[in-house]
Amino acid sequence: MKRKNWLITVGIALLFVLGAGSMFIVKEGEYKIVLRFGEAIRTVEEPGLNFKLPFVENTTTLPKYQMTFESNPGQILTKDKKPILVDNYTIWRISNAEKFIRTVNSVSGGAQRIDEAVYNSVRRKLSEVEYDVIISENTVRGNINDEITQDVALALKRDDYGVEIIDVRIKRTDLPESNKQSVYNRMISDRQSIAARYLSEGDEESRKITSKADRTATELLAQAEADAKKIVAEGEQQAAIIYNTAYGKDPAFYNLYRTLESYTVTLQNDPVIMIPIESEYAKILLGK
């Protein structure tokens, strides 16, 4: 009886082990690759419970979602032979899990292949563009990113690694530390030369404007003085005509009027005047 119970227990345990070894669960966002003696024979993508041969088959897991790989900064020569450090990232996913397992075996192995393809493409593309264009033109940078993405995607598709390249982007382009100071000094010198040229052009334009203004002012003053002299001459001429006309109508009254005007000027501020009593001037003052 005891032996029978023992056999039943062993049988149940064996069935449990066999059942557990034959089942596997696929989660959302992952591939399950079934391997038979290390060789990939099928891929399960849909989430849920699945079965395999116990002891003969085993499974490995790969991500189904998009991944981001950031490359280490690499030094590249531009078209004008300037060394720059390029830092970029790649968005990718596994498109064929069985091919991926057979060729690169792991995510780290796939990232290594991507890193090599991206570096080669970035080096080739940036060697066709000058440094100033790379750092100053966003449109050109965008075009380069698109070209690199297509180039890397074609290269990995040709090698049939079972991966899909979604996007490759250059994050940063910088100068190596050993070159920064000399480039900065040259940039400062260039900016100082430009500033000096602008100042020189400004001074020259200022002199032109000042000279033109002075010439215009001189011409205006000369014209104003000429007009003033003409107006004064015309006024004096008109006054002479008026005086002559008035004098001709009544010379005696005109003499009296002029004499009275002279009294108004002479007797201002109570002056002391000494004149001969017999003079006409004194007679008029005395009412004689």
Side-chain angles (χ1 to χ4, degrees), residues 80 82 130-137:
D80 47 350
K82 291 182 180 178
E130 293 186 353
Y131 176 75
D132 293 340
V133 176
I134 294 173
I135 65 173
S136 63
E137 296 293 337

Side-chain angles (χ1 to χ4, degrees), residues 31 45 63-68 90-97 100 114 156 161-167:
Y31 296 109
E45 300 183 20
K64 191 177 179 180
Y65 49 81
Q66 292 183 0
M67 294 170 281
T68 300
T90 305
I91 300 175
W92 66 290
R93 59 181 292 272
I94 299 172
S95 58
N96 190 314
F100 188 82
I114 291 172
L156 294 177
Y161 290 129
V163 300
E164 178 186 358
I165 301 299
I166 309 299
D167 195 14

Side-chain angles (χ1 to χ4, degrees), residues 139-173:
T139 302
V140 172
R141 176 74 69 81
N143 292 341
I144 291 175
N145 286 331
D146 294 339
E147 291 175 5
I148 292 172
T149 299
Q150 295 176 6
D151 193 35
V152 173
L154 289 174
L156 294 177
K157 184 177 181 180
R158 182 179 60 250
D159 293 335
D160 204 15
Y161 290 129
V163 300
E164 178 186 358
I165 301 299
I166 309 299
D167 195 14
V168 180
R169 292 284 149 179
I170 296 174
K171 293 196 302 181
R172 179 174 58 95
T173 55

Side-chain angles (χ1 to χ4, degrees), residues 265-285:
V265 176
T266 303
L267 298 177
Q268 287 181 357
N269 301 322
D270 300 326
V272 177
I273 303 174
M274 298 181 67
I275 56 176
I277 192 66
E278 296 84 5
S279 67
E280 295 295 327
Y281 201 76
K283 287 179 182 180
I284 294 173
L285 285 174

